[in-house]
Protein backbone atom coordinates (compact mmCIF):
# COMPACT_ATOMS: atom_id res chain seq x y z
CA UNK A 1 0.00 0.00 0.00
CA UNK A 2 1.37 3.37 -1.04
CA UNK A 3 0.74 5.95 1.69
CA UNK A 4 -0.60 9.41 1.03
CA UNK A 5 2.80 10.91 1.97
CA UNK A 6 4.64 8.70 -0.51
CA UNK A 7 2.04 9.31 -3.21
CA UNK A 8 2.47 13.06 -2.80
CA UNK A 9 6.24 12.76 -3.06
CA UNK A 10 5.93 10.66 -6.23
CA UNK A 11 3.53 13.13 -7.75
CA UNK A 12 5.76 16.02 -6.90
CA UNK A 13 8.93 14.44 -8.33
CA UNK A 14 7.19 13.48 -11.56
CA UNK A 15 5.87 16.99 -12.17
CA UNK A 16 8.90 18.92 -10.94
CA UNK A 17 11.61 16.96 -12.80
CA UNK A 18 10.30 18.49 -16.03
CA UNK A 19 11.79 21.81 -14.91
CA UNK A 20 15.31 20.39 -15.23
CA UNK A 21 16.58 20.98 -18.75
CA UNK A 22 18.94 18.85 -20.82
CA UNK A 23 22.52 19.45 -19.69
CA UNK A 24 21.51 21.01 -16.38
CA UNK A 25 22.46 18.00 -14.29
CA UNK A 26 25.57 15.82 -14.20
CA UNK A 27 25.78 13.54 -17.24
CA UNK A 28 26.87 10.28 -15.61
CA UNK A 29 26.92 10.97 -11.86
CA UNK A 30 23.60 10.34 -10.13
CA UNK A 31 21.84 13.50 -8.90
CA UNK A 32 18.44 13.58 -7.13
CA UNK A 33 15.41 13.29 -9.33
CA UNK A 34 14.39 16.65 -7.81
CA UNK A 35 15.20 18.47 -4.58
CA UNK A 36 17.91 17.45 -2.15
CA UNK A 37 20.12 14.33 -2.01
CA UNK A 38 22.58 13.18 0.64
CA UNK A 39 23.92 9.70 1.50
CA UNK A 40 23.80 6.75 -0.89
CA UNK A 41 21.49 4.08 0.56
CA UNK A 42 20.76 0.47 -0.33
CA UNK A 43 23.48 0.29 -2.99
CA UNK A 44 23.02 -3.21 -4.41
CA UNK A 45 22.86 -5.45 -7.45
CA UNK A 46 19.39 -6.95 -7.64
CA UNK A 47 17.43 -8.60 -10.47
CA UNK A 48 19.99 -7.76 -13.13
CA UNK A 49 20.45 -4.09 -12.22
CA UNK A 50 22.35 -1.90 -9.82
CA UNK A 51 20.00 -0.14 -7.42
CA UNK A 52 21.04 3.10 -5.81
CA UNK A 53 18.69 4.66 -3.28
CA UNK A 54 19.48 7.94 -1.58
CA UNK A 55 18.58 10.25 1.29
CA UNK A 56 16.04 12.49 -0.35
CA UNK A 57 13.96 15.61 0.32
CA UNK A 58 12.08 16.02 -2.96
CA UNK A 59 10.42 19.29 -1.99
CA UNK A 60 13.36 21.62 -1.41
CA UNK A 61 17.03 22.02 -2.23
CA UNK A 62 17.92 21.77 1.45
CA UNK A 63 17.89 18.84 3.88
CA UNK A 64 14.37 18.18 5.20
CA UNK A 65 11.91 15.32 5.82
CA UNK A 66 13.93 12.34 4.71
CA UNK A 67 12.54 9.98 2.06
CA UNK A 68 14.42 7.38 0.00
CA UNK A 69 14.84 8.24 -3.68
CA UNK A 70 15.57 5.45 -6.15
CA UNK A 71 17.47 4.93 -9.40
CA UNK A 72 18.64 1.85 -11.32
CA UNK A 73 21.41 1.24 -13.82
CA UNK A 74 22.95 -1.58 -15.80
CA UNK A 75 26.39 -0.01 -16.05
CA UNK A 76 26.64 2.33 -13.00
CA UNK A 77 26.78 5.31 -15.41
CA UNK A 78 23.37 5.61 -17.10
CA UNK A 79 20.80 5.96 -14.33
CA UNK A 80 17.07 5.63 -14.69
CA UNK A 81 14.85 7.18 -12.02
CA UNK A 82 12.21 5.06 -10.36
CA UNK A 83 9.53 6.41 -8.00
CA UNK A 84 10.65 7.26 -4.46
CA UNK A 85 10.37 4.10 -2.35
CA UNK A 86 9.87 5.31 1.21
CA UNK A 87 8.45 8.39 2.94
CA UNK A 88 8.33 9.31 6.65
CA UNK A 89 4.80 7.98 7.07
CA UNK A 90 4.75 5.54 10.01
CA UNK A 91 4.63 6.23 13.77
CA UNK A 92 8.17 4.82 14.14
CA UNK A 93 9.74 6.84 11.27
CA UNK A 94 7.51 9.93 11.08
CA UNK A 95 10.45 12.33 11.47
CA UNK A 96 12.71 10.69 8.92
CA UNK A 97 13.57 7.60 6.94
CA UNK A 98 17.32 7.82 7.48
CA UNK A 99 20.21 5.94 5.87
CA UNK A 100 20.46 2.20 5.43
CA UNK A 101 21.25 -0.63 3.09
CA UNK A 102 19.85 -3.56 1.09
CA UNK A 103 20.14 -7.34 0.86
CA UNK A 104 18.42 -10.01 -1.23
CA UNK A 105 16.29 -12.55 0.64
CA UNK A 106 16.33 -16.27 -0.28
CA UNK A 107 12.80 -15.95 -1.71
CA UNK A 108 14.01 -13.39 -4.26
CA UNK A 109 12.61 -10.29 -2.56
CA UNK A 110 14.84 -7.38 -1.61
CA UNK A 111 15.08 -6.22 1.98
CA UNK A 112 15.86 -2.61 2.91
CA UNK A 113 17.10 -1.88 6.42
CA UNK A 114 17.04 1.75 7.54
CA UNK A 115 16.86 4.08 10.51
CA UNK A 116 13.47 5.36 11.64
CA UNK A 117 13.53 8.71 13.44
CA UNK A 118 11.02 10.05 15.97
CA UNK A 119 11.33 13.40 17.75
CA UNK A 120 11.01 13.08 21.51
CA UNK A 121 10.08 16.18 23.52
CA UNK A 122 12.62 17.06 26.20
CA UNK A 123 12.08 18.64 29.65
CA UNK A 124 13.67 21.90 28.44
CA UNK A 125 11.03 22.27 25.70
CA UNK A 126 13.38 21.10 22.95
CA UNK A 127 13.41 17.82 21.01
CA UNK A 128 15.81 14.94 20.58
CA UNK A 129 15.64 12.37 17.81
CA UNK A 130 15.23 8.77 18.96
CA UNK A 131 16.58 6.36 16.35
CA UNK A 132 15.61 2.72 15.72
CA UNK A 133 16.30 0.25 12.91
CA UNK A 134 13.46 -0.73 10.60
CA UNK A 135 12.84 -2.94 7.58
CA UNK A 136 10.96 -2.79 4.28
CA UNK A 137 10.65 -5.60 1.73
CA UNK A 138 9.95 -5.30 -1.97
CA UNK A 139 10.44 -6.28 -5.58
CA UNK A 140 12.81 -3.58 -6.83
CA UNK A 141 10.08 -0.96 -7.34
CA UNK A 142 7.52 -1.17 -4.53
CA UNK A 143 8.49 -1.81 -0.91
CA UNK A 144 6.26 -2.56 2.11
CA UNK A 145 7.38 -1.57 5.55
CA UNK A 146 7.50 -4.59 7.87
CA UNK A 147 4.57 -4.76 10.35
CA UNK A 148 7.02 -5.80 13.12
CA UNK A 149 9.00 -2.52 12.86
CA UNK A 150 11.14 -1.33 14.50
CA UNK A 151 13.38 -4.41 14.62
CA UNK A 152 16.17 -2.87 16.71
CA UNK A 153 15.40 -0.40 19.49
CA UNK A 154 16.95 0.93 22.67
CA UNK A 155 16.37 -2.46 24.32
CA UNK A 156 18.94 -3.87 21.92
CA UNK A 157 21.62 -1.36 22.93
CA UNK A 158 24.58 -2.38 25.09
CA UNK A 159 25.32 -0.41 28.26
CA UNK A 160 26.50 3.14 27.67
CA UNK A 161 25.05 3.51 24.17
CA UNK A 162 23.10 6.60 23.10
CA UNK A 163 19.60 5.94 21.74
CA UNK A 164 19.76 9.32 20.01
CA UNK A 165 22.76 8.30 17.93
CA UNK A 166 21.95 4.82 16.70
CA UNK A 167 21.74 4.78 12.93
CA UNK A 168 22.69 3.78 9.39
CA UNK A 169 22.52 -0.07 9.44
CA UNK A 170 24.64 -1.84 6.82
CA UNK A 171 23.31 -5.36 6.31
CA UNK A 172 24.92 -8.37 4.63
CA UNK A 173 24.49 -12.11 4.38
CA UNK A 174 27.13 -14.50 5.70
CA UNK A 175 28.12 -17.60 3.71
CA UNK A 176 26.02 -19.75 6.11
CA UNK A 177 22.90 -17.79 5.10
CA UNK A 178 22.52 -15.84 8.36
CA UNK A 179 22.52 -12.03 8.45
CA UNK A 180 24.70 -9.44 10.11
CA UNK A 181 24.46 -5.69 10.33
CA UNK A 182 26.69 -2.96 11.66
CA UNK A 183 25.10 0.18 13.10
CA UNK A 184 26.74 3.52 13.93
CA UNK A 185 26.55 4.64 17.53
CA UNK A 186 28.32 6.72 20.15
CA UNK A 187 28.48 6.97 23.90
CA UNK A 188 26.72 9.82 25.75
CA UNK A 189 30.23 11.35 25.90
CA UNK A 190 30.20 11.25 22.06
CA UNK A 191 32.85 8.63 21.51
CA UNK A 192 32.08 6.80 18.26
CA UNK A 193 31.62 3.05 18.02
CA UNK A 194 30.14 0.37 15.83
CA UNK A 195 27.57 -2.17 17.06
CA UNK A 196 27.29 -5.61 15.46
CA UNK A 197 23.96 -7.48 15.30
CA UNK A 198 23.01 -10.95 14.00
CA UNK A 199 19.83 -12.49 12.62
CA UNK A 200 18.75 -15.91 11.34
CA UNK A 201 16.08 -14.58 8.98
CA UNK A 202 16.78 -10.85 8.55
CA UNK A 203 13.70 -9.89 10.61
CA UNK A 204 14.63 -10.92 14.17
CA UNK A 205 17.87 -9.47 15.45
CA UNK A 206 20.10 -9.85 18.47
CA UNK A 207 23.05 -7.81 19.72
CA UNK A 208 26.39 -9.54 19.19
CA UNK A 209 29.18 -7.15 20.16
CA UNK A 210 30.71 -3.73 20.11
CA UNK A 211 32.73 -4.33 16.95
CA UNK A 212 35.17 -1.47 17.54
CA UNK A 213 35.33 1.76 19.52
CA UNK A 214 36.93 5.09 18.79
CA UNK A 215 38.46 5.75 22.22
CA UNK A 216 39.04 9.31 21.12
CA UNK A 217 40.69 8.40 17.80
CA UNK A 218 38.24 9.69 15.19
CA UNK A 219 35.78 12.55 15.69
CA UNK A 220 32.50 12.02 17.52
CA UNK A 221 29.50 10.10 16.17
CA UNK A 222 30.48 7.39 13.65
CA UNK A 223 27.93 7.60 10.83
CA UNK A 224 27.32 5.29 7.88
CA UNK A 225 29.50 2.27 8.70
CA UNK A 226 30.34 -0.36 6.10
CA UNK A 227 32.22 -3.53 6.96
CA UNK A 228 33.53 -6.11 4.49
CA UNK A 229 36.39 -8.34 3.47
CA UNK A 230 38.76 -7.09 0.80
CA UNK A 231 41.91 -8.79 -0.47
CA UNK A 232 42.13 -10.94 2.67
CA UNK A 233 41.73 -8.08 5.13
CA UNK A 234 38.76 -6.79 7.13
CA UNK A 235 37.85 -3.23 6.15
CA UNK A 236 35.68 -0.77 8.07
CA UNK A 237 34.53 2.46 6.42
CA UNK A 238 33.03 5.13 8.68
CA UNK A 239 32.03 8.78 8.41
CA UNK A 240 32.83 10.38 11.76
CA UNK A 241 31.38 13.79 12.59
CA UNK A 242 33.50 16.58 14.05
CA UNK A 243 36.99 15.29 13.23
CA UNK A 244 40.24 17.01 14.03
CA UNK A 245 42.90 16.99 11.32
CA UNK A 246 46.01 14.84 11.81
CA UNK A 247 48.88 15.77 9.50
CA UNK A 248 47.46 15.56 5.99
CA UNK A 249 44.61 13.28 7.06
CA UNK A 250 41.05 14.14 8.11
CA UNK A 251 40.68 17.80 7.13
CA UNK A 252 36.99 17.65 6.26
CA UNK A 253 35.32 18.32 9.62
CA UNK A 254 32.77 15.63 8.89
CA UNK A 255 35.32 13.21 7.50
CA UNK A 256 35.68 9.68 6.23
CA UNK A 257 37.97 6.97 7.54
CA UNK A 258 39.02 3.60 6.17
CA UNK A 259 40.39 1.23 8.80
CA UNK A 260 42.10 -1.93 7.60
CA UNK A 261 42.67 -4.82 10.00
CA UNK A 262 41.47 -8.25 11.06
CA UNK A 263 38.23 -9.63 12.45
CA UNK A 264 38.40 -11.82 15.55
CA UNK A 265 35.52 -14.14 14.67
CA UNK A 266 35.41 -15.68 18.18
CA UNK A 267 34.91 -12.39 19.96
CA UNK A 268 33.30 -10.54 17.04
CA UNK A 269 35.79 -7.76 17.45
CA UNK A 270 37.55 -5.82 14.72
CA UNK A 271 41.24 -5.13 15.29
CA UNK A 272 42.31 -2.16 13.17
CA UNK A 273 45.92 -2.06 12.06
CA UNK A 274 45.94 0.95 9.79
CA UNK A 275 43.79 3.98 8.97
CA UNK A 276 43.56 6.61 6.26
CA UNK A 277 41.12 9.15 4.86
CA UNK A 278 39.00 7.67 2.07
CA UNK A 279 38.99 10.83 -0.04
CA UNK A 280 41.33 13.81 0.25
CA UNK A 281 39.23 16.37 -1.62
CA UNK A 282 36.46 18.58 -0.26
CA UNK A 283 33.18 17.01 -1.37
CA UNK A 284 32.89 13.46 -0.13
CA UNK A 285 30.96 11.76 2.68
CA UNK A 286 29.00 8.69 3.75
CA UNK A 287 30.29 6.16 1.18
CA UNK A 288 28.66 2.76 0.85
CA UNK A 289 29.81 -0.36 -1.01
CA UNK A 290 28.26 -3.32 -2.75
CA UNK A 291 29.55 -6.48 -4.40
CA UNK A 292 29.21 -6.62 -8.18
CA UNK A 293 28.19 -9.98 -9.70
CA UNK A 294 31.81 -10.44 -10.84
CA UNK A 295 33.12 -10.04 -7.29
CA UNK A 296 34.31 -6.44 -7.45
CA UNK A 297 33.77 -4.36 -4.32
CA UNK A 298 32.30 -1.09 -5.59
CA UNK A 299 31.94 2.08 -3.53
CA UNK A 300 29.85 5.17 -4.12
CA UNK A 301 29.86 8.27 -1.90
CA UNK A 302 27.83 11.44 -1.49
CA UNK A 303 29.78 13.99 -3.55
CA UNK A 304 29.15 16.72 -0.99
CA UNK A 305 29.99 17.32 2.63
CA UNK A 306 27.98 18.76 5.52
CA UNK A 307 30.67 21.39 6.07
CA UNK A 308 30.33 22.94 2.62
CA UNK A 309 27.02 21.85 1.09
CA UNK A 310 25.01 24.88 2.19
CA UNK A 311 27.46 27.34 0.65
CA UNK A 312 26.29 26.49 -2.87
CA UNK A 313 22.90 28.05 -3.59
CA UNK A 314 21.45 26.06 -6.46
CA UNK A 315 19.56 28.01 -9.10
CA UNK A 316 17.38 25.10 -10.12
CA UNK A 317 15.27 22.44 -8.41
CA UNK A 318 17.99 19.90 -7.59
CA UNK A 319 21.16 19.77 -5.50
CA UNK A 320 23.66 17.06 -4.58
CA UNK A 321 25.39 14.29 -6.53
CA UNK A 322 26.94 10.90 -5.99
CA UNK A 323 30.57 10.17 -6.84
CA UNK A 324 31.52 7.96 -9.70
CA UNK A 325 31.30 4.36 -8.48
CA UNK A 326 34.84 3.21 -7.63
CA UNK A 327 36.43 -0.23 -7.55
CA UNK A 328 38.22 -0.95 -4.29
CA UNK A 329 41.32 -3.00 -3.58
CA UNK A 330 44.20 -3.06 -1.13
CA UNK A 331 47.77 -2.49 -2.32
CA UNK A 332 50.76 -2.18 -0.01
CA UNK A 333 48.37 -1.93 2.93
CA UNK A 334 46.45 1.07 1.52
CA UNK A 335 42.93 1.37 0.16
CA UNK A 336 43.10 1.80 -3.63
CA UNK A 337 40.22 3.31 -5.62
CA UNK A 338 39.83 3.32 -9.37
CA UNK A 339 36.90 4.50 -11.48
CA UNK A 340 34.65 1.54 -12.39
CA UNK A 341 35.96 -0.02 -15.59
CA UNK A 342 32.51 0.49 -17.15
CA UNK A 343 33.64 4.10 -17.68
CA UNK A 344 35.68 2.91 -20.66
CA UNK A 345 32.41 2.18 -22.45
CA UNK A 346 31.83 5.95 -22.54
CA UNK A 347 35.19 6.64 -24.15
CA UNK A 348 34.73 8.58 -27.39
CA UNK A 349 37.39 10.31 -29.45
CA UNK A 350 40.89 9.96 -28.01
CA UNK A 351 43.47 12.75 -28.04
CA UNK A 352 47.02 11.85 -27.19
CA UNK A 353 50.21 13.88 -26.77
CA UNK A 354 53.41 12.05 -25.80
CA UNK A 355 56.60 13.54 -24.40
CA UNK A 356 55.36 17.10 -24.24
CA UNK A 357 58.32 19.06 -22.84
CA UNK A 358 57.82 22.54 -21.45
CA UNK A 359 59.46 24.79 -18.86
CA UNK A 360 58.49 27.92 -16.92
CA UNK A 361 55.43 28.56 -19.01
CA UNK A 362 51.74 27.86 -19.62
CA UNK A 363 50.75 25.73 -22.61
CA UNK A 364 47.59 24.50 -24.29
CA UNK A 365 47.45 21.38 -26.41
CA UNK A 366 45.47 20.64 -29.55
CA UNK A 367 42.24 18.81 -28.84
CA UNK A 368 42.61 19.01 -25.04
CA UNK A 369 39.49 20.66 -23.62
CA UNK A 370 36.05 19.63 -22.36
CA UNK A 371 33.86 19.25 -19.33
CA UNK A 372 32.99 15.55 -19.70
CA UNK A 373 36.34 13.86 -20.03
CA UNK A 374 38.59 11.10 -18.73
CA UNK A 375 42.15 12.44 -18.90
CA UNK A 376 45.33 10.81 -17.67
CA UNK A 377 48.54 12.80 -17.20
CA UNK A 378 51.92 11.21 -16.57
CA UNK A 379 54.28 13.86 -15.32
CA UNK A 380 58.06 13.52 -14.96
CA UNK A 381 60.99 15.87 -14.51
CA UNK A 382 62.30 17.39 -17.74
CA UNK A 383 65.70 17.43 -16.04
CA UNK A 384 66.31 14.84 -13.31
CA UNK A 385 69.30 16.82 -11.99
CA UNK A 386 67.10 19.82 -11.44
CA UNK A 387 63.57 18.75 -10.56
CA UNK A 388 60.83 21.27 -11.31
CA UNK A 389 59.12 23.20 -8.48
CA UNK A 390 55.51 22.89 -9.54
CA UNK A 391 53.22 21.44 -12.18
CA UNK A 392 49.58 22.46 -12.56
CA UNK A 393 46.67 21.64 -14.83
CA UNK A 394 43.78 24.08 -15.05
CA UNK A 395 40.37 23.08 -16.36
CA UNK A 396 36.80 24.40 -16.58
CA UNK A 397 38.66 27.47 -17.75
CA UNK A 398 37.65 30.72 -19.45
CA UNK A 399 39.03 34.27 -19.12
CA UNK A 400 37.74 34.54 -15.55
CA UNK A 401 37.39 31.06 -14.12
CA UNK A 402 39.38 27.90 -13.69
CA UNK A 403 39.79 25.02 -11.28
CA UNK A 404 43.25 23.52 -10.78
CA UNK A 405 45.14 20.42 -9.73
CA UNK A 406 48.78 21.04 -8.90
CA UNK A 407 51.73 18.94 -7.84
CA UNK A 408 54.83 20.05 -5.91
CA UNK A 409 57.38 17.28 -6.27
CA UNK A 410 59.73 18.42 -3.50
CA UNK A 411 56.97 17.95 -0.92
CA UNK A 412 55.06 15.31 -2.92
CA UNK A 413 51.87 17.33 -2.50
CA UNK A 414 48.86 17.27 -4.80
CA UNK A 415 46.46 20.16 -4.35
CA UNK A 416 42.98 20.81 -5.70
CA UNK A 417 41.89 24.44 -5.86
CA UNK A 418 38.49 25.80 -6.91
CA UNK A 419 38.74 29.33 -5.56
CA UNK A 420 38.49 30.76 -9.10
CA UNK A 421 35.72 28.40 -10.17
CA UNK A 422 33.11 31.17 -9.98
CA UNK A 423 32.33 30.75 -6.29
CA UNK A 424 31.31 33.92 -4.47
CA UNK A 425 31.70 32.39 -1.02
CA UNK A 426 34.66 32.43 1.37
CA UNK A 427 34.45 28.73 2.11
CA UNK A 428 37.17 26.12 1.86
CA UNK A 429 38.30 25.97 -1.76
CA UNK A 430 41.60 24.12 -1.52
CA UNK A 431 42.83 20.87 -0.13
CA UNK A 432 46.23 19.22 -0.18
CA UNK A 433 47.21 15.59 -0.03
CA UNK A 434 50.65 14.12 0.51
CA UNK A 435 51.25 11.37 -2.02
CA UNK A 436 54.04 8.87 -2.65
CA UNK A 437 57.36 10.53 -3.47
CA UNK A 438 58.62 9.23 -6.80
CA UNK A 439 61.33 11.78 -7.56
CA UNK A 440 59.07 14.16 -9.47
CA UNK A 441 56.95 11.54 -11.22
CA UNK A 442 53.23 11.52 -10.70
CA UNK A 443 50.18 10.11 -12.48
CA UNK A 444 46.92 12.07 -12.38
CA UNK A 445 43.71 10.64 -13.81
CA UNK A 446 41.09 13.37 -13.84
CA UNK A 447 37.41 12.63 -14.48
CA UNK A 448 35.27 15.67 -15.24
CA UNK A 449 31.48 15.65 -15.39
CA UNK A 450 29.96 19.16 -15.73
CA UNK A 451 30.02 20.05 -12.02
CA UNK A 452 32.78 17.89 -10.54
CA UNK A 453 36.33 16.65 -10.76
CA UNK A 454 37.60 13.40 -9.30
CA UNK A 455 41.38 13.13 -9.27
CA UNK A 456 42.88 9.64 -8.96
CA UNK A 457 46.56 9.94 -8.05
CA UNK A 458 49.12 7.22 -8.87
CA UNK A 459 46.58 4.61 -9.98
CA UNK A 460 44.18 5.27 -7.11
CA UNK A 461 46.50 5.55 -4.10
CA UNK A 462 44.86 8.88 -3.25
CA UNK A 463 41.66 10.41 -4.56
CA UNK A 464 40.61 14.07 -4.33
CA UNK A 465 37.01 14.96 -5.14
CA UNK A 466 35.59 18.44 -5.63
CA UNK A 467 32.41 19.98 -7.00
CA UNK A 468 32.20 23.36 -8.73
CA UNK A 469 29.52 25.14 -10.67
CA UNK A 470 31.46 27.02 -13.34
CA UNK A 471 29.56 28.04 -16.50
CA UNK A 472 29.55 25.01 -18.83
CA UNK A 473 30.99 27.07 -21.70
CA UNK A 474 34.24 27.31 -19.71
CA UNK A 475 35.84 24.17 -21.11
CA UNK A 476 39.47 25.24 -21.56
CA UNK A 477 42.40 23.21 -20.25
CA UNK A 478 45.98 24.48 -19.81
CA UNK A 479 49.19 23.23 -18.27
CA UNK A 480 51.75 25.13 -16.22
CA UNK A 481 55.30 24.28 -15.22
CA UNK A 482 57.64 26.08 -12.84
CA UNK A 483 60.87 24.39 -13.94
CA UNK A 484 61.14 21.75 -16.61
CA UNK A 485 58.43 19.13 -17.04
CA UNK A 486 57.84 16.30 -19.52
CA UNK A 487 54.39 14.78 -19.77
CA UNK A 488 52.14 12.34 -21.58
CA UNK A 489 48.48 13.26 -21.94
CA UNK A 490 45.74 10.85 -22.96
CA UNK A 491 42.24 12.26 -23.02
CA UNK A 492 38.92 10.68 -23.95
CA UNK A 493 35.73 12.64 -24.40
CA UNK A 494 32.98 10.86 -22.49
CA UNK A 495 29.99 10.19 -24.70
CA UNK A 496 26.86 10.54 -22.57
C1 LIG B 1 25.00 11.11 7.22
C2 LIG B 1 23.66 11.21 7.92
C3 LIG B 1 23.27 9.87 8.48
C4 LIG B 1 21.77 9.95 8.55
C5 LIG B 1 21.45 10.77 7.32
C6 LIG B 1 20.27 11.67 7.49
O1 LIG B 1 25.21 12.07 6.24
O2 LIG B 1 23.73 12.19 8.93
O3 LIG B 1 23.89 9.55 9.71
O4 LIG B 1 21.18 8.69 8.50
O5 LIG B 1 22.60 11.54 7.03
O6 LIG B 1 19.91 12.25 6.28
Amino acid sequence: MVSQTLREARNYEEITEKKIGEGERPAFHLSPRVGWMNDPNGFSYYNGKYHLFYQYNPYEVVWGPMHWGHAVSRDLLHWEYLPAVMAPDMPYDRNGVFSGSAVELPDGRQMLMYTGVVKEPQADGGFKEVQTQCIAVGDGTEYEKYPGNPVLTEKDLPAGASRYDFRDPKIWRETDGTYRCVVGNCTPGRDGRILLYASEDGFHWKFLSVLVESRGRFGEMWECPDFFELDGKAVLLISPTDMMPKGFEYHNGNGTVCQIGTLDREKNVFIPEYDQAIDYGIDFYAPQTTLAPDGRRIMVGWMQNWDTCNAHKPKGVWTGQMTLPRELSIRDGRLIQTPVRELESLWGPKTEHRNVAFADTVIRLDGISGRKIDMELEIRPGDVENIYEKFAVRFAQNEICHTAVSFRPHEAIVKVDRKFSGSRRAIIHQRRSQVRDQGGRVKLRIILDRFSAEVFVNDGEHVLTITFYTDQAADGISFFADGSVAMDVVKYDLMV
Side-chain angles (χ1 to χ4, degrees), residues 38-39 55 63 66 98-99 167-168 223-224 285-286 302 306:
N38 57 289
D39 316 353
Q55 286 288 280
W63 190 87
M66 278 294 111
F98 276 18
S99 283
R167 60 180 174 270
D168 310 337
E223 299 186 320
C224 301
Y285 197 67
W302 177 35
W306 292 116

Side-chain angles (χ1 to χ4, degrees), residues 196-257:
L196 179 65
Y197 292 87
S199 169
E200 293 291 320
D201 59 2
F203 295 89
H204 303 89
W205 290 87
K206 64 169 199 283
F207 172 74
L208 266 194
S209 62
V210 175
L211 185 70
V212 59
E213 293 176 300
S214 179
R215 295 182 191 273
R217 287 179 305 149
F218 305 118
E220 298 190 354
M221 169 62 186
W222 285 8
E223 299 186 320
C224 301
D226 197 343
F227 188 57
F228 50 87
E229 215 178 274
L230 185 68
D231 295 335
K233 302 298 289 184
V235 175
L236 178 71
L237 308 183
I238 50 171
S239 295
T241 67
D242 308 282
M243 294 192 79
M244 272 204 292
K246 271 190 216 159
F248 283 93
E249 305 289 323
Y250 314 130
H251 284 242
N252 285 50
N254 293 289
T256 56
V257 180

